[in-house]
Amino acid sequence: MIELIRDHQLNLMLLLCGACAVLILLIYHTRFLPENRKRILIFMEVMAFLLLWFDRLAYLYAGDTGETGGFMVRLSNFIVFFLTPGMAFGLSLYLADWLKNEGKMKTIPKRMTFSIVVTILGMILAVVAAFTNLYYYFDESNLYHRGSGFLIAYIIPVLVPLIQFTVVIQYRKIFSKLVYASLILYIFVPVICGIIQIFTYGISIVNMSMVAVSVSLYVFTYLDINNTVEHAHKIERENMESEKQRMRRLFDQTATAFVSAVEKKDDYTKGNALRVAEYARRIAALAGKEEEECEKIYYAALLHDVGIIGIPDNVIKNEYDPKKWDRDLMKQKPVIGKEILSCISEYPYLSVGAEFSHERYDGTGYPNGLKGEEIPEIARIIAVADAYVTMTTKKRFREARPDFIAREKLVKGAGEAFDPKFANLMIKIIDRDNREETENLKSELEQELLCEEYRSKITAGIPIDSNITRVTFDCECQTDGEHPFSAPSLILFDSYDRRVHRDEKSIEANGYLEYGEVWFYENNITTAARKIEATRFEKIHHGGTKYEILMGRFEDHLKLKMTSPEYEKEIIVALEGSAKSSYLALTGENCRIKNITVTQTEETVRENDIPRIANEVSYLGRMESDIENIQVDRTRSSHTKGVELTHHLKLMFHTMSLPGAYMVWNCPYIVLFSSEDGTVYGKDYREYALIKLYGENEGAEEYAGNTMTMKKKADFSGWDDWKNRNKKGFECEITFVRKGGHIVIRSENLGIEIENVTEITEIPDKVYVALTGDQVALTDIRVKRGKGEK
């Protein structure tokens, strides 16, 4: 390696000199360095350039006995020996600048002062050596030789860096990692090379190493500047983002406060704007909007109804008949809202939401009668969210409508009042929320009741289904002279919100139906159930306060096994049909019910576990064809067997909604699936589509993508007539066309034309079709395949 450097050192020197010259220009144009540090770095790079340039000249003119050669050799060697301690002097200045600025030191350590003085002394000695041959001398051939004091020249370049190193170590926390690394290199590389230089003649590895580490000092400093600038930019961005968030919070608080003030005009609208905003944001998110767009929609929805502030109170608070409202005056609400929000010019979408959210998709809305996609998208989203919140909020003239009523209104209004895309997304949100609410209700059952008057306190309903459920509780009597009777009791019922209701409005709003009341002694009261019969009753006198109920259901029959400290009792309840749900609620009179627990056992109710006490309610009294008739009492409670779909397939059948059905979705459904045995929910079951004949696809998107199109034909006579004709029954026809994983399903019934295109992601060996529904009887099911298909 030494010989290689020796052979090419002149070229290496020239290369390093060029690098120094370039760095001088770069440092000069660097904008992010403190001026004093920039001057020091330029000074160090100039010294490094001169040191190596003249060292190279010393080699070039060595042995030249001419006048120029003699002069250049002496000048060059003088400058080399003069600038060697000068490089250490430059580093001392550089360190002192760091200590004063980044270290915030008013005075630098005495060691630094000492090192500066020593390097100056070293430069003075170089001048003396030039005239006394202390470090070097030249022979008659103008060749360089080391002098008797040559080693003295290397004392200062070795001693001073060691002093500088102690300073760097002591104050290393003020240096970044990159600068710290560059200083270590600057200090020790020349020292190591200096030791080598003592034993190596005719090669300037010390000087070349000094120049190399000078170059590295700038490179590392530049990288450190980049890191510093990047960090500063990051802080600036964080500050800007923090300020943005602060402004957003301020805007949110201001908007919310403004809306709260507006809602004080009508107690029945309190909190509505916030709900509309939340639902609008969820619709936008489901539609695939970016977060920023969702935020815009949120605030536009939050403020969409501010125009009500300009409507007189006597119009808003009409206490008698909503038909007497001044509708023309109410139609000014979006116009007033637009005028108010147009002042917020930075957010023009706010006024758009206020002005157009009362337009209808079919063009019958106000104030401008816009139609379809003429209505801004943001307003179409708000209209759906607003309609849902309005329907599910209590008004002066009615109770809050339950979710299933609002859901049906959205189904009916899709393509008429509402953009069908956003109406369907709202329906998905309703279904998701209802599933979560059902789960939450399981954990919200009261743990303790203090019942004074009979039914003064009642728990939420506990579902009675095909899984056997155990309910246990303790009951303490709370009797006195005035109230000698004390006992717990059970209420059997159905209700959309799983609660017992008493007043007519809430009974109607929640579809409340009470089957009967049951006590732990002999008494039972039958209300809407067809029959309640005690099949076993025994006195046992166990004592204590523990009560237990084991309950289950098969189709339209319930069975309860009840145990109290005094009696054991079994009852069977025949419901009016299988379509309704069934719940059990705990209540009592003059007693404290506590420690209520509900446990799902691993047992299920089988067909013969509950003896029938009333005839089965069946609507299958029609002919049976290719596939067995089915009666679907509750949503997807039964399915036909699967029919394999190869290429072309047509299903024809008679459908009739059950007597208790009154919703749009009480109709036939089509299931597209695969499973090992060709049955719904069979082994390796995968569902690709669930198509409802009114034009909704509720299938999961885990295994397939679906595109649904629903059109109302000229002969469509309205949804109420559609439901009535479903009740009377009609002939239905569905066609299927399959090409690999591409399946098209078409149906046109009662003026509703649907087409669903399914794209299966992983094509199975066999794809099946089955029929199901909700509160519907499907009979005379015929299968017709394409020519040549079996």
Side-chain angles (χ1 to χ4, degrees):
M1 176 64 73
I2 296 295
E3 291 303 319
L4 182 65
I5 295 173
R6 192 191 305 276
D7 293 340
H8 298 283
Q9 71 171 331
L10 294 180
N11 293 329
L12 288 173
M13 289 177 175
L14 188 61
L15 178 65
L16 289 170
C17 285
C20 284
V22 171
L23 289 182
I24 290 167
L25 291 174
L26 290 175
I27 295 170
Y28 180 78
H29 291 287
T30 299
R31 285 182 282 176
F32 297 106
L33 275 173
E35 283 300 319
N36 190 53
R37 192 166 303 161
K38 184 192 291 189
R39 285 192 292 268
I40 293 170
L41 282 172
I42 291 174
F43 171 68
M44 293 174 71
E45 294 301 331
V46 168
M47 283 196 299
F49 173 81
L50 293 175
L51 173 66
L52 209 55
W53 183 263
F54 281 99
D55 196 14
R56 185 172 182 274
L57 288 179
Y59 280 97
L60 287 174
Y61 285 101
D64 185 346
T65 56
E67 185 177 342
T68 303
F71 175 75
M72 290 305 299
V73 165
R74 285 158 177 77
L75 177 64
S76 298
N77 278 278
F78 164 70
I79 291 177
V80 167
F81 279 91
F82 181 81
L83 292 181
T84 298
M87 296 293 291
F89 174 74
L91 182 60
S92 294
L93 295 178
Y94 182 79
L95 288 174
D97 183 72
W98 268 92
L99 295 172
K100 287 180 179 179
N101 290 282
E102 279 71 10
K104 308 297 182 185
M105 298 175 64
K106 293 182 179 180
T107 58
I108 61 174
K110 293 180 178 180
R111 285 167 292 165
M112 289 303 303
T113 305
F114 175 75
S115 68
I116 292 172
V117 171
V118 168
T119 51
I120 294 172
L121 179 61
M123 288 185 281
I124 295 171
L125 282 173
V127 175
V128 173
F131 297 100
T132 62
N133 297 333
L134 179 63
Y135 293 163
Y136 55 88
Y137 65 92
F138 302 95
D139 60 17
E140 308 83 33
S141 300
N142 203 31
L143 293 174
Y144 167 89
H145 295 277
R146 291 177 177 177
S148 58
F150 172 77
L151 291 178
I152 299 173
Y154 282 88
I155 293 174
I156 292 173
V158 171
L159 175 63
V160 170
L162 293 176
I163 296 172
Q164 293 166 341
F165 174 68
T166 63
V167 174
V168 171
I169 290 296
Q170 183 177 353
Y171 300 102
R172 62 176 303 173
K173 290 184 179 180
I174 71 170
F175 302 106
S176 68
K177 291 182 179 179
L178 287 170
V179 171
Y180 179 77
S182 68
L183 291 173
I184 296 300
L185 288 175
Y186 198 99
I187 290 168
F188 284 105
V189 170
V191 170
I192 294 168
C193 290
I195 296 169
I196 297 171
Q197 179 81 69
I198 295 171
F199 305 100
T200 307
Y201 191 76
I203 184 169
S204 296
I205 57 173
V206 172
N207 295 338
M208 286 191 288
S209 67
M210 282 184 167
V211 174
V213 293
S214 295
V215 171
S216 72
L217 183 65
Y218 172 74
V219 171
F220 280 81
T221 301
Y222 182 78
L223 292 174
D224 181 64
I225 291 170
N226 280 350
N227 289 345
T228 303
V229 171
E230 195 173 299
H231 181 65
H233 285 174
K234 181 181 177 182
I235 292 173
E236 186 178 2
R237 286 193 301 270
E238 288 174 352
N239 289 339
M240 290 176 65
E241 184 62 28
S242 176
E243 182 64 17
K244 184 180 178 181
Q245 291 294 334
R246 193 185 70 81
M247 294 301 294
R248 183 177 292 171
R249 286 194 299 272
L250 179 61
F251 177 75
D252 180 73
Q253 292 165 2
T254 303
T256 304
F258 179 47
V259 166
S260 297
V262 170
E263 288 180 339
K264 289 188 181 298
K265 288 179 70 71
D266 184 2
D267 293 338
Y268 287 88
T269 63
K270 187 176 181 180
N272 278 13
L274 193 60
R275 288 183 66 207
V276 172
E278 289 290 353
Y279 282 117
R281 176 158 55 189
R282 291 177 68 183
I283 293 170
L286 271 182
K289 304 291 183 187
E290 297 291 335
E291 185 177 351
E292 186 176 350
E293 186 69 17
C294 291
E295 285 296 301
K296 290 180 180 180
I297 291 167
Y298 172 86
Y299 286 110
L302 184 68
L303 295 165
H304 83 283
D305 227 13
V306 296
I308 202 165
I309 200 169
I311 307 300
D313 289 353
N314 64 328
V315 175
I316 296 171
K317 296 184 178 181
N318 189 311
E319 298 287 348
Y320 304 103
D321 187 351
K323 295 179 180 178
K324 295 180 182 179
W325 281 14
D326 188 334
R327 296 197 177 276
D328 290 335
L329 193 55
M330 286 299 291
K331 285 182 180 181
Q332 292 301 306
K333 182 173 64 170
V335 178
I336 297 168
K338 176 197 172 184
E339 290 174 356
I340 293 170
L341 297 175
S342 292
C343 300
I344 309 176
S345 57
E346 289 294 318
Y347 306 117
Y349 53 86
L350 298 178
S351 62
V352 171
E355 182 179 9
F356 299 110
S357 58
H358 292 276
E359 300 286 357
R360 290 172 63 96
Y361 200 72
D362 60 3
T364 60
Y366 60 91
N368 302 312
L370 299 183
K371 184 177 181 180
E373 295 193 3
E374 294 174 356
I375 307 167
E377 185 180 61
I378 195 169
R380 281 181 271 145
I381 293 173
I382 294 170
V384 171
D386 183 51
Y388 172 72
V389 171
T390 300
M391 286 186 279
T392 54
T393 300
K394 183 178 179 179
K395 299 294 184 185
R396 287 185 176 82
F397 321 106
R398 61 164 174 81
E399 291 294 314
R401 290 168 177 158
D403 276 351
F404 73 93
I405 296 292
R407 188 186 194 280
E408 186 183 52
K409 292 284 186 183
L410 290 169
V411 169
K412 291 179 177 180
E416 295 179 1
F418 315 116
D419 184 320
K421 174 184 175 182
F422 300 125
N424 288 331
L425 291 176
M426 187 67 231
I427 289 168
K428 289 183 184 297
I429 290 170
I430 294 170
D431 292 344
R432 184 181 300 171
D433 288 353
N434 283 338
R435 286 193 295 270
E436 292 176 359
E437 186 177 350
T438 299
E439 290 300 316
N440 291 336
L441 279 171
K442 293 178 182 178
S443 61
E444 290 178 4
L445 183 69
E446 295 85 345
Q447 299 299 303
E448 185 172 324
L449 294 179
L450 177 59
C451 305
E452 296 173 343
E453 295 182 1
Y454 179 56
R455 293 174 65 148
S456 60
K457 297 288 183 179
I458 306 172
T459 66
I462 304 166
I464 308 175
D465 51 33
S466 60
N467 293 311
I468 297 177
T469 302
R470 176 181 285 105
V471 181
T472 63
F473 60 90
D474 291 307
C475 182
E476 297 175 352
C477 294
Q478 303 282 316
T479 56
D480 55 31
E482 293 183 29
H483 307 95
F485 178 76
S486 171
S489 66
L490 314 177
I491 303 172
L492 304 175
F493 68 98
D494 181 25
S495 176
Y496 301 128
D497 65 351
R498 293 172 58 172
R499 290 286 181 181
V500 173
H501 294 276
R502 297 174 185 176
D503 64 276
E504 290 185 10
K505 284 186 177 181
S506 62
I507 287 172
E508 181 183 358
N510 291 281
Y512 180 72
L513 181 67
E514 188 166 307
Y515 302 128
E517 298 167 89
V518 181
W519 280 264
F520 282 82
Y521 53 92
E522 293 173 305
N523 282 18
N524 304 313
I525 295 178
T526 303
T527 311
R530 285 189 288 162
K531 190 176 183 181
I532 298 180
E533 182 178 301
T535 58
R536 178 170 170 264
F537 183 78
E538 293 182 14
K539 291 185 178 181
I540 54 175
H541 297 292
H542 281 168
T545 61
K546 203 74 175 176
Y547 289 73
E548 181 183 82
I549 306 158
L550 282 172
M551 59 187 186
R553 172 175 177 166
F554 185 81
E555 294 182 349
D556 59 348
H557 275 51
L558 313 178
K559 183 177 181 180
L560 282 75
K561 181 180 178 181
M562 306 161 59
T563 305
S564 71
E566 297 178 339
Y567 304 101
E568 278 188 358
K569 177 179 179 180
E570 289 184 9
I571 65 165
I572 296 175
V573 182
L575 307 179
E576 61 178 12
S578 301
K580 297 288 186 181
S581 298
S582 51
Y583 300 97
L584 177 147
L586 302 177
T587 186
E589 183 177 358
N590 298 319
C591 61
R592 182 187 296 276
I593 299 173
K594 61 183 183 178
N595 303 325
I596 302 170
T597 64
V598 178
T599 308
Q600 285 276 353
T601 70
E602 295 182 357
E603 301 176 71
T604 58
V605 182
R606 295 182 296 273
E607 184 173 0
N608 297 319
D609 288 348
I610 304 178
R612 279 198 163 274
I613 60 173
N615 292 330
E616 182 181 1
V617 180
S618 175
Y619 299 93
L620 299 179
R622 291 178 59 88
M623 69 178 294
E624 193 166 272
S625 297
D626 298 331
I627 298 177
E628 185 179 349
N629 297 340
I630 62 168
Q631 180 171 311
V632 190
D633 294 309
R634 296 182 302 281
T635 304
R636 299 187 66 176
S637 59
S638 61
H639 301 76
T640 66
K641 70 175 185 179
V643 179
E644 186 180 354
L645 174 59
T646 52
H647 299 291
H648 294 81
L649 179 69
K650 182 183 290 186
L651 291 182
M652 298 159 286
F653 55 91
H654 183 272
T655 175
M656 181 183 74
S657 296
L658 303 184
Y662 59 98
M663 306 305 295
V664 170
W665 50 82
N666 299 142
C667 68
Y669 301 169
I670 305 153
V671 186
L672 191 66
F673 70 98
S674 68
S675 69
E676 190 173 292
D677 60 359
T679 61
V680 175
Y681 304 132
K683 186 178 179 182
D684 295 330
Y685 180 74
R686 291 189 175 189
E687 187 166 298
Y688 305 120
L690 176 65
I691 299 159
K692 304 178 180 181
L693 283 198
Y694 62 85
E696 181 186 353
N697 184 350
E698 200 180 298
E701 297 180 357
E702 184 177 359
Y703 303 113
N706 287 278
T707 304
M708 164 73 79
T709 304
M710 186 272 277
K711 295 180 182 177
K712 296 171 184 173
K713 308 292 284 186
D715 59 341
F716 179 69
S717 53
W719 287 109
D720 289 336
D721 185 60
W722 192 86
K723 289 192 290 186
N724 289 332
R725 291 173 70 182
N726 266 277
K727 286 241 180 165
K728 293 176 182 177
F730 68 95
E731 290 294 319
C732 186
E733 186 176 293
I734 305 164
T735 62
F736 305 83
V737 178
R738 177 188 176 191
K739 291 182 180 180
H742 179 85
I743 300 171
V744 180
I745 303 173
R746 294 188 179 92
S747 171
E748 185 178 337
N749 298 287
L750 304 182
I752 295 295
E753 180 183 87
I754 62 174
E755 179 180 281
N756 187 82
V757 179
T758 301
E759 297 286 350
I760 300 175
T761 52
E762 295 182 13
I763 304 173
D765 293 335
K766 294 182 179 181
V767 175
Y768 297 92
V769 174
L771 296 177
T772 183
D774 186 2
Q775 296 193 48
V776 66
L778 305 178
T779 57
D780 190 19
I781 306 170
R782 289 144 285 155
V783 179
K784 184 178 180 181
R785 297 187 181 277
K787 290 183 180 180
E789 294 185 63
K790 293 183 180 181

